[in-house]
Coordinates of all heavy atoms in Angstrom, one line a residue:
C150 N 8.6 -21.9 -28.9 CA 7.7 -22.6 -28.0 C 6.6 -21.6 -27.5 O 5.5 -22.1 -27.3 CB 8.5 -23.1 -26.8 SG 9.6 -24.5 -27.2
E204 N -14.5 -15.9 -20.5 CA -15.1 -17.3 -20.4 C -14.3 -18.3 -21.3 O -14.1 -19.4 -20.9 CB -16.6 -17.2 -20.9 CG -17.5 -16.4 -20.0 CD -17.4 -14.9 -20.2 OE1 -16.7 -14.5 -21.1 OE2 -17.9 -14.2 -19.3
E216 N -6.8 -30.3 -17.0 CA -7.1 -31.6 -17.4 C -5.9 -32.4 -17.9 O -5.9 -33.6 -18.1 CB -8.1 -31.5 -18.6 CG -9.5 -31.0 -18.2 CD -10.4 -30.8 -19.3 OE1 -10.0 -31.2 -20.5 OE2 -11.6 -30.3 -19.1
L241 N 14.2 -30.3 -17.4 CA 13.2 -31.0 -16.6 C 12.8 -30.3 -15.4 O 11.6 -30.2 -15.0 CB 13.7 -32.4 -16.3 CG 12.9 -33.3 -15.3 CD1 11.5 -33.6 -15.9 CD2 13.7 -34.5 -14.8
L262 N 10.0 -37.9 -8.9 CA 10.6 -36.6 -9.2 C 11.3 -35.9 -8.1 O 12.3 -35.2 -8.2 CB 9.5 -35.7 -9.8 CG 8.9 -36.1 -11.2 CD1 7.8 -35.2 -11.6 CD2 10.0 -36.0 -12.2
I270 N 20.5 -31.2 -6.8 CA 21.2 -30.1 -6.0 C 22.7 -30.4 -5.9 O 23.5 -29.5 -5.7 CB 20.5 -29.9 -4.6 CG1 19.1 -29.4 -4.8 CG2 21.3 -29.0 -3.7 CD1 18.3 -29.3 -3.5
E273 N 26.5 -29.9 -10.4 CA 26.8 -28.5 -10.7 C 25.9 -27.9 -11.8 O 25.3 -26.8 -11.7 CB 28.2 -28.3 -11.1 CG 28.6 -26.9 -11.4 CD 30.1 -26.8 -11.7 OE1 30.8 -27.8 -11.7 OE2 30.6 -25.7 -12.0
S278 N 18.7 -24.8 -11.2 CA 17.4 -25.2 -11.5 C 16.7 -26.0 -10.4 O 15.5 -25.8 -10.1 CB 17.4 -26.0 -12.8 OG 17.9 -25.2 -13.9
L354 N 16.7 -26.2 11.2 CA 16.6 -25.3 10.1 C 17.0 -23.9 10.5 O 17.7 -23.2 9.7 CB 15.1 -25.3 9.6 CG 14.8 -24.3 8.5 CD1 15.6 -24.6 7.3 CD2 13.3 -24.5 8.1
E360 N 23.9 -20.4 10.3 CA 25.2 -20.7 9.8 C 25.5 -20.1 8.5 O 26.6 -19.6 8.2 CB 25.3 -22.3 9.7 CG 26.7 -22.7 9.2 CD 26.8 -24.2 9.1 OE1 25.9 -24.9 9.5 OE2 27.9 -24.7 8.6
L387 N 4.9 -12.8 19.4 CA 3.5 -13.0 19.8 C 3.4 -13.8 21.1 O 4.2 -14.7 21.4 CB 2.7 -13.7 18.7 CG 2.6 -13.0 17.4 CD1 1.9 -14.0 16.4 CD2 1.8 -11.7 17.5
L412 N 29.1 -5.8 10.0 CA 29.1 -4.3 9.8 C 30.4 -3.7 9.6 O 30.5 -2.6 9.2 CB 28.4 -3.7 11.0 CG 26.9 -3.9 11.1 CD1 26.4 -3.3 12.5 CD2 26.1 -3.2 10.0
G428 N 39.1 1.9 -4.7 CA 38.6 2.9 -5.6 C 37.3 2.6 -6.2 O 36.8 3.4 -7.1
C459 N 20.9 -6.2 23.6 CA 21.6 -5.9 22.3 C 22.5 -4.8 22.5 O 23.7 -4.8 22.0 CB 20.5 -5.6 21.2 SG 19.5 -7.0 20.7
A463 N 26.9 -4.3 22.1 CA 27.7 -3.3 21.5 C 28.6 -2.6 22.5 O 29.8 -2.3 22.2 CB 26.7 -2.2 20.9
S480 N 46.7 10.8 17.3 CA 45.9 11.7 16.5 C 46.0 11.3 15.0 O 45.2 11.8 14.2 CB 46.4 13.1 16.7 OG 47.8 13.2 16.4
M499 N 20.1 0.6 16.3 CA 19.1 0.2 17.3 C 18.5 1.3 18.0 O 17.6 1.1 18.8 CB 19.8 -0.8 18.2 CG 20.3 -2.1 17.6 SD 21.0 -3.2 18.8 CE 22.6 -2.5 19.1
R512 N 23.7 4.9 30.2 CA 24.4 5.7 31.2 C 25.9 5.4 31.2 O 26.7 6.2 31.5 CB 23.9 5.3 32.6 CG 22.5 5.9 32.9 CD 22.1 5.6 34.3 NE 20.9 6.4 34.6 CZ 21.0 7.7 35.1 NH1 22.1 8.2 35.3 NH2 19.9 8.4 35.4
F632 N 12.1 35.3 17.3 CA 11.8 35.1 15.9 C 12.6 36.2 15.1 O 13.3 35.9 14.1 CB 10.3 35.3 15.7 CG 9.8 34.5 14.5 CD1 8.5 33.9 14.5 CD2 10.6 34.2 13.4 CE1 8.0 33.2 13.5 CE2 10.1 33.5 12.3 CZ 8.8 32.9 12.4
P697 N 6.3 42.2 2.9 CA 6.7 43.1 1.8 C 8.1 42.7 1.2 O 8.2 42.9 0.0 CB 6.8 44.5 2.5 CG 5.9 44.4 3.7 CD 6.0 43.0 4.2
R715 N 9.9 28.7 -3.5 CA 10.2 28.9 -2.1 C 9.4 30.0 -1.5 O 9.0 29.9 -0.3 CB 11.7 29.2 -1.9 CG 12.6 28.0 -2.3 CD 12.4 26.8 -1.3 NE 13.1 25.6 -1.7 CZ 14.4 25.4 -1.4 NH1 15.1 26.3 -0.8 NH2 14.9 24.2 -1.8
M723 N 2.7 29.9 6.1 CA 2.1 30.9 7.0 C 0.6 30.6 7.3 O 0.1 30.8 8.4 CB 2.2 32.3 6.4 CG 3.6 32.9 6.4 SD 3.7 34.5 5.7 CE 5.5 34.9 5.7
I834 N -13.6 26.1 -18.0 CA -12.8 25.2 -17.2 C -12.9 23.7 -17.6 O -11.9 23.0 -17.7 CB -13.2 25.3 -15.7 CG1 -12.7 26.6 -15.1 CG2 -12.7 24.1 -14.9 CD1 -13.2 26.9 -13.7
S871 N -16.7 15.1 1.2 CA -16.9 14.7 2.6 C -17.2 15.9 3.5 O -16.8 17.0 3.2 CB -15.6 14.0 3.1 OG -15.3 12.9 2.3
A881 N -22.9 17.1 1.7 CA -23.3 15.7 1.8 C -24.5 15.4 0.9 O -24.7 14.2 0.5 CB -23.6 15.4 3.2
V953 N -9.5 -1.0 -34.0 CA -10.5 -1.9 -33.3 C -11.1 -2.8 -34.2 O -11.6 -2.5 -35.3 CB -11.6 -1.0 -32.6 CG1 -12.6 -1.9 -31.9 CG2 -11.0 0.0 -31.7
M981 N -14.8 -1.1 -19.9 CA -14.1 0.0 -20.6 C -12.6 -0.1 -20.3 O -11.7 0.0 -21.1 CB -14.6 1.4 -20.2 CG -16.1 1.6 -20.7 SD -16.4 1.3 -22.4 CE -15.2 2.4 -23.2
T992 N -2.9 -1.0 -31.6 CA -2.5 -0.5 -32.9 C -1.6 -1.4 -33.7 O -1.0 -1.1 -34.7 CB -1.7 0.9 -32.8 OG1 -0.6 0.7 -31.9 CG2 -2.7 1.9 -32.2
H1000 N 16.2 -6.7 -31.1 CA 16.4 -8.1 -30.9 C 17.6 -8.5 -30.2 O 18.3 -9.4 -30.3 CB 16.4 -8.8 -32.3 CG 17.3 -8.2 -33.3 ND1 17.0 -7.1 -34.0 CD2 18.6 -8.5 -33.6 CE1 18.0 -6.7 -34.7 NE2 19.0 -7.6 -34.5

Side-chain angles (χ1 to χ4, degrees):
C150 288
E204 294 77 11
E216 294 176 4
L241 169 68
L262 289 176
I270 293 175
E273 184 178 356
S278 299
L354 177 57
E360 183 181 353
L387 297 174
L412 287 173
C459 292
S480 58
M499 294 183 286
R512 285 183 168 277
F632 211 147
R715 292 292 174 84
M723 287 180 185
I834 285 175
S871 299
V953 179
M981 298 306 302
T992 56
H1000 50 280

